[in-house]
Amino acid sequence: VNGSIIQNREEGIGVVEDLKVSYENVYSGSEIKEGDTLFEIDLADLKSKIKQIENEISEREKNLSRATEDYNLAVSRQDKIISDALDEYKEAEALLNKYNNSNEDEKQSLDKEAIKYDYDLKKTAYNQAVNDKNSNLLMEKRTLEDVKEESNTDELKEKLQNLKKIEEAEGKIASEKEGIVTNVAVAAGDVTGVGSAVYLADKESGYKFVAELSTDLKKYAKQGQSVALKISNSNN
């Protein structure tokens, strides 16, 4: 009966997606060692991708910097309004205290109602400015939060780091372990995808022989029975 030797365990080797493959160095059945080159990335395409990501990171950081600056200016404006209101409130309070500490003759020359009215007005204006600060900054705060979310560069920086490692390796994608190639999902001229580009049979996990027996032959097979395998026209 004919059959196939297959792996007990298969592992996929991935790479950053959307990179152009220039050379394919292995094929299904290739026995490889750790450090062997699986395939090579087009360096011109790789450098272009690196530049694009660097520009995008720079643009996002610039947008975040501008949004932060706009928010800080808005905070400064609100703080200035509160500070000015506080100064006027303190002046009105000082005038009221002066009236309260004056003698009866001095009080005759001062308008108590006007002083008290101005004090209450300035106090209310100050308290209102303090209370209004958060609501007046709400739009600017939401804008900053939106830009922060859009300007997150963690994923881009991680991708850039991976691309630069490939660039340092001159575009060569090396295997990190020993094994036998079971499938190559990319070819020269292709671009890498989201999934694994090369699949390896893990030698440490071993292999198995798989065959399908007909009904007639089934009666000769028993669990635990030894069989002889003939591989490549030689008995092993």
Side-chain angles (χ1 to χ4, degrees), residues 1-142:
V1 61
N2 291 321
S4 302
I5 294 177
I6 64 172
Q7 68 281 357
N8 280 327
R9 186 167 179 261
E10 185 179 59
E11 292 188 64
I13 298 176
V15 69
V16 180
E17 61 182 296
D18 199 31
L19 295 178
K20 186 177 180 181
V21 177
S22 58
Y23 295 102
E24 183 184 347
N25 300 74
V26 295
Y27 52 88
S28 182
S30 296
E31 187 170 353
I32 59 172
K33 297 181 177 62
E34 182 180 347
D36 284 353
T37 301
L38 300 174
F39 57 95
E40 298 178 34
I41 298 299
D42 185 285
L43 285 176
D45 180 67
L46 177 63
K47 291 179 185 296
S48 176
K49 292 289 191 306
I50 289 174
K51 188 64 177 176
Q52 287 175 13
I53 293 176
E54 287 176 338
N55 290 340
E56 188 172 351
I57 290 173
S58 177
E59 188 64 25
R60 288 190 184 188
E61 290 178 342
K62 189 186 298 181
N63 290 338
L64 179 58
S65 177
R66 287 172 178 169
T68 303
E69 185 179 350
D70 290 343
Y71 176 74
N72 290 336
L73 286 173
V75 171
S76 297
R77 285 195 295 269
Q78 291 300 314
D79 288 342
K80 181 68 166 56
I81 291 171
I82 293 173
S83 178
D84 291 344
L86 179 62
D87 289 342
E88 292 182 5
Y89 165 50
K90 291 298 181 182
E91 287 179 8
E93 185 180 46
L95 186 58
L96 180 61
N97 289 335
K98 179 181 178 182
Y99 174 83
N100 292 332
N101 295 326
S102 299
N103 56 42
E104 291 301 321
D105 292 336
E106 291 173 334
K107 287 180 179 180
Q108 294 298 323
S109 61
L110 299 172
D111 187 343
K112 177 182 178 181
E113 295 299 325
I115 292 173
K116 185 67 169 60
Y117 175 80
D118 186 60
Y119 168 78
D120 290 338
L121 187 67
K122 299 297 173 55
K123 181 179 180 181
T124 300
Y126 168 68
N127 290 333
Q128 189 67 45
V130 172
N131 293 332
D132 287 349
K133 178 179 178 179
N134 288 335
S135 59
N136 289 340
L137 289 173
L138 184 59
M139 184 176 294
E140 284 82 358
K141 187 177 181 180
R142 285 176 176 171

Side-chain angles (χ1 to χ4, degrees), residues 186-225:
V186 293
D190 289 347
V191 293
T192 55
V194 178
S196 299
V198 175
Y199 294 86
L200 292 181
D202 183 8
K203 292 182 73 173
E204 294 178 2
S205 299
Y207 305 91
K208 58 192 172 190
F209 175 76
V210 178
E212 187 174 330
L213 297 178
S214 66
T215 305
D216 293 338
L217 292 176
K218 207 171 173 186
K219 61 186 177 184
Y220 298 109
K222 295 179 181 179
Q223 189 171 357
Q225 187 177 20

Side-chain angles (χ1 to χ4, degrees), residues 135-152:
S135 59
N136 289 340
L137 289 173
L138 184 59
M139 184 176 294
E140 284 82 358
K141 187 177 181 180
R142 285 176 176 171
T143 300
L144 178 59
E145 288 173 351
D146 289 344
V147 174
K148 277 184 178 179
E149 188 174 345
E150 294 170 0
S151 301
N152 190 300

